[in-house]
Amino acid sequence: MPKLKFQLSSWLPRLPTQVWILAAGRFLSQSGTGFTLFYAPIFFVDRVGLSATAVGIGLGIGSIAGIFGRVLGGSFCDSKFWGRRRTLLLATMIAAVASFVLAATNNFGGLVAGNILMGFGVGLYWPPTETMVADLTEGDRRQEAFALTRLADNLGLQVGIIFGGVLIAVTGNYRSLFIIDGISFIVLFAVVAIAISETYKPSTATDASPKNLKNGWMVALNDRTLLVYASVNILFTLYISQIQTTMPLYFSKFVQVGTSGTGFSTGTITVLFAFSTFLTVALQLPIVKALRGFSHPKALMISALLWGMGFIAIGLTGMAATGNLFLAVLGLSFLSLATVAYTPFASALVVDLAPESLRGVYLALNSQCWAIGYLIGPPLGGFALDRGKWGADNFWLGLAVSVILAIAILRKLDPMLKEKIIAKKQLL
């Protein structure tokens, strides 16, 4: 037993206690989100009686509210009055109220109101929770901290999805899912209020210029290095959106399995994505440890290469006459590795770029890349699938080719980032 304890402690990253507490809070919050993630559209169509179009509009409005929430969340994080902690507390309160509104919804107006609140609350949530991780860590430990919190997010989401499905199968009570989601945000509120201290620090002389303090967003949007990074980050988030939206439909409609010519069954697709999620969770910390000797752009180049190999395998899954399942497993394995090589290094890169007093705004802009990627990705994938089998198969190969652009941008970014970090250190 002592030997096992030693091995476990050496495997886990040595991080500040508050990072572990924050990760535990994010696990609980994402568990609640998992309860409603896949089941909300089914509830509003089948039980409330809304059309699929109406539900899509309601969810889309929530995404737009999230964009505004991220803008305010970044600004509030860097505000002396709000800071990281108060912004996170406000976000969890709004999200909890939104969950209870959705639990009580019986019409389109309630759906819109609930999703506006939820989108805004979630938009407020991401800048402070990411900024706190950056404030509490430095160097290689920062990458491991971001990896840990992403691991907590993914674990929580999967736990919520599984138990949400069990609850629906046993009780059929969809409204209880939203109530559980609301309770999870209340628990996160309590965790932050009791166990998390404010991590905001007053501006130093080097980054307290009137220009910085007056409009942090203008500073961020005029940071050429940050904008170059944002362009490649949108590509990465567009890639991730394809796994969650376009790929399941591609597997079911366009992969020719055996002599029947039909796609993978729902059960097979479920097992495939469960396997992918397992890899993402299991490999998150080991991959970060393996890559921490590389600069952030070079680690992202490795991620890009993995994306390319994964997309080629997925495209071949639909083109091959045999071995489809093997190619699908191979493709999802590469894509899982690409994802875990991407998320922590992307956030750490933004922190390296940001003046300390503008971390919230810079990380909010990083979060906006996700919003843009998910805005472009699903319609783009849907358009490709609507072109028939030729368009669907070659869509993945096109994504693989786009990786060349991502690597070219990252090669340009690497010396720019080094120069920016050197200049930043000289000012300290």
Side-chain angles (χ1 to χ4, degrees):
M1 182 63 73
K3 185 178 179 181
L4 178 62
K5 185 176 180 181
F6 172 77
Q7 289 175 342
L8 185 61
S9 63
S10 64
W11 179 77
L12 293 173
R14 296 179 181 178
L15 298 169
T17 303
Q18 289 218 75
V19 173
W20 287 97
I21 295 172
L22 189 61
R26 284 172 63 155
F27 170 82
L28 291 170
S29 172
Q30 290 300 102
S31 295
T33 300
F35 269 87
T36 62
L37 186 65
F38 291 130
Y39 309 112
I42 298 171
F43 166 67
F44 287 113
V45 172
D46 292 349
R47 301 298 176 89
V48 178
L50 300 177
S51 68
T53 301
V55 173
I57 291 171
L59 295 174
I61 290 172
S63 297
I64 294 170
I67 292 173
F68 289 102
R70 286 173 172 88
V71 172
L72 280 181
S75 298
F76 283 3
C77 276
D78 296 332
S79 156
K80 186 176 181 180
F81 173 76
W82 283 100
R84 289 49 154 147
R85 185 170 175 271
R86 283 186 179 179
T87 305
L88 187 53
L89 290 171
L90 176 64
T92 54
M93 280 196 301
I94 293 173
V97 170
S99 297
F100 296 130
V101 169
L102 290 170
T105 291
N106 288 301
N107 52 49
F108 180 68
L111 172 68
V112 170
N115 273 293
I116 287 175
L117 282 172
M118 183 61 77
F120 186 70
V122 170
L124 278 175
Y125 166 87
W126 283 111
T129 189
E130 292 282 89
T131 306
M132 280 181 160
V133 174
D135 291 342
L136 291 166
T137 52
E138 294 181 355
D140 292 344
R141 295 301 178 201
R142 183 170 288 152
Q143 298 162 4
E144 292 186 343
F146 279 119
L148 175 70
T149 50
R150 291 294 182 184
L151 174 61
D153 292 339
N154 289 328
L155 273 175
L157 205 58
Q158 294 310 309
V159 166
I161 291 170
I162 291 168
F163 281 97
V166 171
L167 186 62
I168 290 299
V170 173
T171 68
N173 188 345
Y174 283 86
R175 293 187 189 274
S176 64
L177 302 180
F178 295 98
I179 293 171
I180 292 170
D181 193 18
I183 292 171
S184 76
F185 281 115
I186 292 173
V187 172
L188 178 58
F189 179 94
V191 168
V192 174
I194 296 169
I196 300 293
S197 303
E198 176 58 67
T199 62
Y200 172 84
K201 296 176 183 177
S203 301
T204 63
T206 60
D207 55 21
S209 68
K211 182 181 179 183
N212 281 23
L213 297 176
K214 185 177 181 180
N215 196 334
W217 279 97
M218 288 304 297
V219 175
L221 291 172
N222 282 306
D223 188 329
R224 185 166 170 265
T225 308
L226 179 65
L227 295 182
V228 170
Y229 158 76
S231 65
V232 75
N233 196 33
I234 290 171
L235 267 179
F236 279 122
T237 56
L238 185 149
Y239 294 161
I240 291 175
S241 74
Q242 301 308 320
I243 299 175
Q244 299 172 354
T245 59
T246 309
M247 199 174 294
L249 188 59
Y250 176 71
F251 282 161
S252 67
K253 300 293 185 184
F254 295 97
V255 175
Q256 307 294 317
V257 179
T259 56
S260 64
T262 57
F264 291 138
S265 67
T266 302
T268 299
I269 293 172
T270 301
V271 171
L272 282 171
F273 284 101
F275 167 74
S276 175
T277 302
F278 168 77
L279 278 185
T280 302
V281 170
L283 297 176
Q284 183 73 80
L285 294 177
I287 290 295
V288 168
K289 286 187 176 182
L291 295 181
R292 64 183 177 188
F294 294 90
S295 67
H296 299 327
K298 286 180 180 175
L300 293 177
M301 286 181 209
I302 294 171
S303 175
L305 287 171
L306 291 166
W307 283 111
M309 290 187 287
F311 287 138
I312 289 171
I314 296 299
L316 292 176
T317 301
M319 295 177 180
T322 60
N324 313 85
L325 187 59
F326 169 77
L327 287 166
V329 170
L330 183 65
L332 283 170
S333 299
F334 280 130
L335 297 178
S336 298
L337 287 168
T339 301
V340 297
Y342 157 69
T343 46
F345 288 96
S347 297
L349 186 153
V350 175
V351 175
D352 282 351
L353 277 176
E356 190 170 333
S357 65
L358 296 180
R359 277 179 181 166
V361 166
Y362 272 60
L363 284 165
L365 187 59
N366 179 57
S367 184
Q368 293 288 22
C369 293
W370 284 76
I372 296 170
Y374 272 79
L375 187 65
I376 299 170
L380 181 64
F383 176 81
L385 297 188
D386 285 341
R387 305 281 73 77
K389 183 165 174 56
W390 185 91
D393 290 339
N394 285 283
F395 173 65
W396 305 106
L397 302 184
L399 289 178
V401 171
S402 72
V403 165
I404 297 172
L405 174 61
I407 292 173
I409 296 172
L410 289 166
R411 284 177 61 86
K412 178 181 177 65
L413 180 64
D414 198 21
M416 293 175 68
L417 180 63
K418 289 175 181 175
E419 185 179 328
K420 190 78 179 284
I421 292 172
I422 291 170
K424 189 176 173 182
K425 287 180 178 178
Q426 288 174 344
L427 290 172
L428 295 176

